[in-house]
Amino acid sequence: MTKNNSRSKLSIFALGGLDEIGKNMYVVRYGDDIVVIDAGLMFPEEEMLGIDVVIPDITYLLENRDKVRGILVTHGHEDHIGGLPYILKQLHVPVYGTKLTMGLVEHKLREAHLLNQTKRVVINSRSEVKLGSMKATFFKTNHSIPDSVGICLETPEGRVVHTGDFKFDMTPVNGQAADMHKMAEIGKKGVLCLLSDSTNAERPGFTGSERTVGEALEAVFRKAKQRVIVATFASNIHRIQQVVDAAHMHNRKLAVVGRSMVNVVNISMELGYLRVPPGLLIDPDEINRLPAHKVTVMSTGSQGEPMSALTRMANGSHRKVEILPGDTVILAATPIPGNEKLVAKTVDRLFRVGANVVYSTNSQHGVHVSGHGSQEDLKLMLNLIKPKYFFPIHGEHRMLRAHSQLAESVGIRPENIFISDNGDVVEFSGGKARYGSKIQTGNVLVDGLGVGDVGNIVLRDRKLLSQDGILVVVVTLGKNNGKILSGPDIISRGFVYVRESEKLLEEANRIVTQTMEKCVSERVSEWASLKTSVRDALSKFLFDKTRRRPMILPIIMEV
């Protein structure tokens, strides 16, 4: 493909969020001005053993740090703000977000000791922000968290619109409808390129209103004879509001458990986004002092996370809440792809202890609706914005592909649609678009306090250890003559049980001794060569005998 080498071209690309769910980070550059939209994290896949979270590789931004004018945040979900504490340690730029979004961001920055050194600017749907040669304006959207916005970036090349996560909810819980009038106005002025949420692009129809969940919750509360325990996403403030309303309607007190849930509830109440009647909230210590039919518990753990409050309740290991026979447990969320087994295991344990469980697959109640628009919502957005070029974002490849087909169905020409991967740069110049050179992207793995210090080699080693275990071979050599003074001692962990495999290990010991003696006789004195010889000989022998490949770690000492 041809490339435009003009310095003042408009470039758009993703550092995260394409061909994946999470880790959202999109970059718009014009000349020497760079604007970043969102800075999310992603939770690790099964093969990422021991990893806590995954964030985008921001090498490009660090190499161009003097050009980055700021980070615009569309809303307060982890897949859009979770990367900020890690990224802002390296990249000192202003962050712009709505009142609630910034409240959640500030909590993260306070924990990371970055609050005082980060410039934070609170915006609303009427704000205008100058970012070098670009200007950002905003429009209200509906999502499963209040204060969500879409972004319109006015650039010298044309308008670029980023929808954020959205659906069109005609009866929103907080009464804040999406600003379709403003979207239509932006579309009427002319939009060069639209970046739009593709999460539910495969799902027909419109996504249901969050208000229907409130009605469903109320119906479950009405039938419940004992305690009601509701698990949902901590950041789904509309859902939390409806649990608060249902508890109040049925004269129940409400206890909140789970660290992230407590944090979000406190921040939302403080900023006025969660309306809680006085006296409704109780401390978890008071749960057992009240009659069961007077108690509601709101908890984390809708995804079956092993250390979450609901999972510990189901296991009987939670310090303050025990599930009792006859309790009603509502999982007001659907499993994120990949979490189905964890959720099924938690549901099974809840049934085992005698709870009545209401969850997505067994419920006629409809205790969850998505925060993302389905096909008709997406087509409505396309028709309002009327972009010349279309760039589907936020989703796995099949979702991006489905979204592109929707765009074609509403009249966008196929050659004006860019289904991209992270790092693919789309360049605009003179109203024409083409692919430019690719940008370095990838995953930065966060493990404990280490950011980026665990890479593919370490993960490969962890995978090997988890599959076939490890053998440590310890040998002591004489410094003068190179002869074996003690050992070889072989230590097995996760490979074979030593007491039942004495003959195998004796044979392994003999192989190591022969290999070492051969190396000494051939005057091989480099330790790297000695270790490689031992590792190769022992690996071949063990595979022939067991069809397993444990990690072999030779330790050679000289005295």
Side-chain angles (χ1 to χ4, degrees), residues 448-465:
L449 295 176
V451 180
D453 57 347
V454 174
N456 290 333
I457 293 170
V458 174
L459 283 182
R460 187 193 65 199
D461 287 349
R462 287 181 181 181
K463 190 174 182 184
L464 190 61
L465 287 167

Side-chain angles (χ1 to χ4, degrees), residues 34-83:
I34 294 173
V35 175
V36 180
I37 299 175
D38 289 334
L41 57 72
M42 183 169 70
F43 293 103
E45 295 165 5
E46 276 185 22
E47 62 269 19
M48 295 179 178
L49 301 165
I51 300 303
D52 298 323
V53 295
V54 185
I55 59 174
D57 181 346
I58 59 164
T59 302
Y60 176 86
L61 299 179
L62 296 177
E63 288 172 351
N64 294 278
R65 62 174 75 236
D66 58 317
K67 300 178 181 68
V68 181
R69 305 294 167 233
I71 300 174
L72 306 176
V73 184
T74 58
H75 65 283
H77 280 160
E78 286 292 314
D79 58 333
H80 295 259
I81 66 170

